[in-house]
C-alpha cells in the first residue's frame, strides 16, 4: 500500500514538473515573440522608403512610347485585293456544277470580298483608336517633360502606391504649377512610435521599460524622414520632373492656441540627379537629408518643432 502511495506522489511531482516546464517554455516563447513584434514594428515604420522602386529614366520611356506607334497590319489590304481579284477574274464554268453552280460560286466570292472589306474597316477603326491613344500618351509625356500643369495632374492620378500604404500617413495633398510639384503628406503623429522598450531576461521573462525620450524622438524622426523619401521617390517615378518638394505635416499642439493643428515639421527639396544616386534600402533617412536642401527643427530632447516650408 505504501509503495502505491509513493508511486502516486511521484507521479504528481512529475506531472507538476512537466506543467512548470511547459509554462516556462510558453513564457519564453511569448516573451521572444513580444520582443520580435515590437522590433518589427519599429523597423516597419522607419523603412517606409524601402518600398520605393528604382527611379525611371523618363527620356528612355518617352522614346519607348514613341517607338510603340501602332501599325495597321497589311494582311487586311492583301485579303481585300485577293478577294477583289478573284471576283474580277470569275468566269462561268460548266464544271462548277459540282460546287453548286456558277451563281452560287459567284455569290460566295462576293461574300468573301464583302467580309474582307468589313474586316479591313474594323481593323482601321481599331487602328485609328489605338493611334489616337498613342498620340495622347506621347502628347502627355511631352507635356509632363515640359512641366505643363494639365499633364502633371494627369500623371499624378497614377500615384496609387502612396494611398495603398497606410504607413505614409492619413492623407497626401499636391500643390501643382508649371514645372513644379509640392507634395504634402499628413504623416502619423508620434503615437506611431511605441512608448516602451522590450527585452527578454535571462530567465526568459519579458521586461518592459519606458522608452527614453531621446530614443523615442529619434525613431519618430527616422519615420518622418522615411516617409519624405518614399513620397519623393514615388513622385519622381510618376512625373518626369527634376525637382520635387516634399513637406511633411502632422498633428501637433500649438502652444499659442492650445489646440491640435496640422503643423509642418519637415520640408525637403529633392533633386532627381542626387536622388537617383542613392541606394534607398541602405540609407539612414535622417542622415540622408544632408544631401538635399531642407528645413527641419529637431532636438533629441524635444523632437520636432514647427518649421516654415521651403
Amino acid at each position: 500500500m505504501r509503495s502505491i502511495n509513493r508511486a502516486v506522489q511521484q507521479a504528481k511531482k512529475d506531472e507538476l514538473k512537466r506543467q512548470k516546464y511547459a509554462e516556462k517554455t510558453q513564457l519564453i516563447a511569448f516573451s521572444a515573440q513580444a520582443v520580435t513584434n515590437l522590433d518589427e514594428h519599429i523597423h516597419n515604420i522607419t523603412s517606409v522608403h524601402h518600398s520605393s522602386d528604382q527611379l525611371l529614366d523618363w527620356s528612355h520611356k518617352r522614346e519607348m512610347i514613341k517607338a510603340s506607334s501602332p501599325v495597321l497590319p497589311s494582311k487586311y489590304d492583301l485579303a481585300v485585293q485577293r478577294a477583289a481579284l478573284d471576283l474580277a477574274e470569275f468566269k462561268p464554268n460548266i464544271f462548277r456544277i459540282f460546287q453548286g453552280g456558277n451563281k452560287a460560286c459567284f455569290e460566295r466570292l462576293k461574300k468573301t470580298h464583302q467580309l474582307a472589306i468589313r474586316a479591313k474597316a474594323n481593323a482601321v477603326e481599331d487602328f485609328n483608336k489605338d493611334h489616337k491613344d498613342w498620340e495622347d500618351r506621347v502628347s502627355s509625356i511631352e507635356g509632363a517633360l515640359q512641366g505643363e500643369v494639365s499633364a502633371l495632374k494627369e500623371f499624378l492620378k497614377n500615384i496609387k502606391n502612396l494611398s495603398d500604404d497606410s504607413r505614409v500617413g492619413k492623407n497626401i495633398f499636391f500643390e501643382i504649377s508649371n514645372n513644379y510639384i509640392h507634395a504634402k503628406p499628413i504623416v502619423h503623429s508620434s503615437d506611431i512610435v511605441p512608448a516602451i522598450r522590450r527585452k527578454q531576461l535571462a530567465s526568459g521573462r519579458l521586461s518592459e521599460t519606458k522608452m527614453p525620450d531621446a530614443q523615442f524622438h529619434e525613431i519618430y524622426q527616422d519615420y518622418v524622414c522615411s516617409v519624405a523619401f518614399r513620397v519623393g521617390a514615388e513622385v519622381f517615378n510618376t512625373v518626369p520632373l527634376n525637382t520635387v518638394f516634399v513637406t511633411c505635416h502632422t498633428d501637433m499642439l500649438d502652444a499659442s492656441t492650445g489646440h491640435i493643428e496640422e503643423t509642418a515639421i519637415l520640408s525637403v527639396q529633392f533633386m532627381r540627379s542626387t536622388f537617383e544616386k542613392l541606394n534607398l534600402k541602405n540609407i539612414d533617412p535622417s542622415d540622408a537629408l544632408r544631401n538635399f536642401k531642407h528645413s527641419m527643427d529637431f532636438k533629441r530632447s524635444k523632437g520636432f518643432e514647427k518649421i516654415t516650408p521651403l
Side-chain angles (χ1 to χ4, degrees):
M1 190 68 178
R2 291 178 180 175
S3 62
I4 294 176
N5 288 336
R6 283 198 298 270
V8 171
Q9 292 300 321
Q10 186 61 45
K12 289 182 178 179
K13 288 180 180 180
D14 292 343
E15 178 61 24
L16 186 59
K17 284 183 179 179
R18 283 194 293 271
Q19 289 180 0
K20 288 184 177 180
Y21 178 77
E23 289 173 358
K24 184 174 182 180
T25 301
Q26 188 176 20
L27 176 65
I28 291 173
F30 171 80
S31 300
Q33 188 61 51
V35 171
T36 298
N37 289 346
L38 192 66
D39 290 345
E40 287 180 348
H41 174 70
I42 292 173
H43 173 74
N44 193 39
I45 64 174
T46 56
S47 61
V48 181
H49 58 290
H50 288 186
S51 301
S52 304
D53 296 325
Q54 184 176 356
L55 294 196
L56 288 174
D57 182 339
W58 282 95
S59 295
H60 177 68
K61 183 171 182 177
R62 172 180 56 185
E63 295 309 313
M64 291 288 290
I65 291 176
K66 284 186 174 181
S68 65
S69 172
V71 177
L72 179 65
S74 60
K75 66 178 183 179
Y76 296 102
D77 276 329
L78 293 175
V80 171
Q81 292 171 12
R82 188 180 301 113
L85 184 62
D86 290 342
L87 193 61
E89 293 181 345
F90 178 83
K91 293 180 181 179
N93 189 317
I94 192 172
F95 296 106
R96 290 201 176 91
I97 191 173
F98 302 106
Q99 299 173 314
N102 288 312
K103 184 177 180 180
C105 290
F106 184 74
E107 290 299 323
R108 283 198 295 270
L109 290 177
K110 282 177 60 179
K111 186 174 182 180
T112 299
H113 185 232
Q114 291 168 354
L115 290 174
I117 292 174
R118 191 180 307 160
K120 179 183 176 181
N122 291 336
V124 169
E125 183 179 350
D126 291 341
F127 167 78
N128 289 337
K129 181 177 181 299
D130 292 342
H131 196 271
K132 177 64 167 58
D133 291 342
W134 173 78
E135 287 179 332
D136 290 343
R137 292 201 308 273
V138 172
S139 175
S140 181
I141 195 170
E142 292 287 4
L145 283 166
Q146 294 172 19
E148 295 176 2
V149 173
S150 58
L152 295 178
K153 287 182 177 180
E154 191 63 30
F155 269 65
L156 280 176
K157 291 179 181 178
N158 299 319
I159 194 164
K160 298 178 180 178
N161 290 342
L162 293 177
S163 58
D164 291 342
D165 191 340
S166 61
R167 296 173 301 170
V168 170
K170 299 187 298 182
N171 211 336
I172 183 167
F173 303 95
F174 295 96
E175 180 183 336
I176 306 171
S177 61
N178 285 326
N179 219 23
Y180 170 87
I181 286 182
H182 195 153
K184 302 176 180 181
I186 313 301
V187 302
H188 294 294
S189 70
S190 59
D191 291 342
I192 197 173
V193 179
I196 58 171
R197 292 189 302 180
R198 287 174 180 166
K199 70 175 181 177
Q200 191 170 20
L201 303 176
S203 64
R205 293 182 177 278
L206 179 66
S207 171
E208 289 188 346
T209 57
K210 180 181 179 298
M211 178 86 72
D213 289 345
Q215 184 180 4
F216 179 89
H217 294 314
E218 284 181 336
I219 291 173
Y220 187 58
Q221 181 192 30
D222 281 345
Y223 160 68
V224 174
C225 295
S226 181
V227 170
F229 276 95
R230 172 69 184 283
V231 172
E234 294 295 342
V235 174
F236 275 137
N237 272 336
T238 306
V239 295
L241 293 182
N242 292 320
T243 303
V244 168
F245 289 85
V246 177
T247 296
C248 295
H249 296 71
T250 194
D251 292 334
M252 284 181 60
L253 176 65
D254 187 332
S256 64
T257 64
H259 296 295
I260 300 294
E261 297 181 359
E262 284 184 0
T263 306
I265 56 175
L266 171 65
S267 191
V268 194
Q269 180 184 8
F270 288 121
M271 307 298 293
R272 181 183 291 272
S273 57
T274 303
F275 202 101
E276 62 188 3
K277 295 175 183 177
L278 300 177
N279 184 339
L280 291 182
K281 288 183 170 55
N282 289 335
I283 65 168
D284 179 299
S286 298
D287 292 341
L289 279 181
R290 67 178 63 135
N291 294 297
F292 305 95
K293 181 181 178 181
H294 65 279
S295 175
M296 178 175 67
D297 185 356
F298 175 83
K299 295 181 180 61
R300 294 175 72 246
S301 58
K302 297 175 59 179
F304 285 104
E305 297 287 348
K306 181 178 180 179
I307 55 101
T308 300
L310 296 176

